[in-house]
Amino acid sequence: MSDQPNGMVPVPPGPLVLNLQYTKDLSFEVPGAPDIFLNLAENPRLDVALDVNARKLQEEHPVYEVVFQVRADAKLTDGRTAFIIELAYCGIFTVNVAADVLEAVLLVECPRLLFPFARNILADVTRDGGFPPVMLTPIDFVALWQSRRGQSSGLAPVANA
């Protein structure tokens, strides 16, 4: 029998646990408002940039902050900026995996869990800002990770990974 209340047996944490998620930074700008809305005949062209970073929060525990960053610039056909939105959406994760797969878990699996929430925030903010909602298509985080892996200005290294 267990010494735990109600006879519960303690279960060790799994290989990946999302402890907390939050918006670290959010910015939405409409530089040409209100005039931009008078001539808004078509949906703006959207340029999207993505990034993922991770850092260890506690030396003695496998706890990491993963930051999924999105920047979208919307331009009209005449070149004017319709809006700019920037979001840094974060998760605090406990990651109990082998060192050789830690980077992939932090920079692929963790942002994959954060993505639906960040996507929802982007859609809500742009819709509430007077534009059609920005609906990010699903992201191939494996390809993003692989394309950035060898670049010197790429993802921040994972501390103590």
Side-chain angles (χ1 to χ4, degrees):
M1 207 55 152
S2 168
D3 291 335
Q4 297 293 317
N6 302 325
M8 300 288 288
V9 176
V11 178
L16 178 61
V17 177
L18 175 54
N19 302 304
L20 174 71
Q21 54 189 355
Y22 56 95
T23 300
K24 190 171 195 172
D25 186 32
L26 175 61
S27 172
F28 180 74
E29 301 173 40
V30 184
D35 297 335
I36 199 85
F37 295 108
L38 300 175
N39 301 317
L40 193 63
E42 79 280 345
N43 286 343
R45 186 193 77 226
L46 202 60
D47 294 320
V48 179
L50 307 170
D51 198 5
V52 178
N53 295 292
R55 68 183 179 102
K56 192 166 189 177
L57 295 178
Q58 299 176 347
E59 278 301 313
E60 62 280 357
H61 301 291
V63 178
Y64 299 84
E65 178 190 50
V66 175
V67 182
F68 173 50
Q69 296 174 304
V70 181
R71 178 186 167 104
D73 293 309
K75 301 243 185 227
L76 300 178
T77 54
D78 64 6
R80 291 182 300 151
T81 298
F83 66 84
I84 301 166
I85 186 167
E86 296 176 357
L87 172 65
Y89 194 73
C90 303
I92 304 296
F93 293 87
T94 301
V95 183
N96 292 303
V97 297
D100 62 329
V101 296
L102 179 62
E103 182 180 343
V105 169
L106 289 171
L107 301 180
V108 174
E109 294 304 320
C110 293
R112 190 176 290 161
L113 293 172
L114 298 174
F115 174 77
F117 302 98
R119 180 179 191 243
N120 188 56
I121 291 168
L122 290 171
D124 286 349
V125 169
T126 53
R127 184 193 63 239
D128 292 348
F131 296 93
V134 169
M135 298 299 292
L136 290 180
T137 58
I139 297 168
D140 182 351
F141 286 102
V142 172
L144 179 64
W145 171 58
Q146 290 173 339
S147 72
R148 301 289 310 270
R149 200 157 181 217
Q151 298 176 4
S152 61
S153 63
L155 300 172
V158 177
N160 301 322

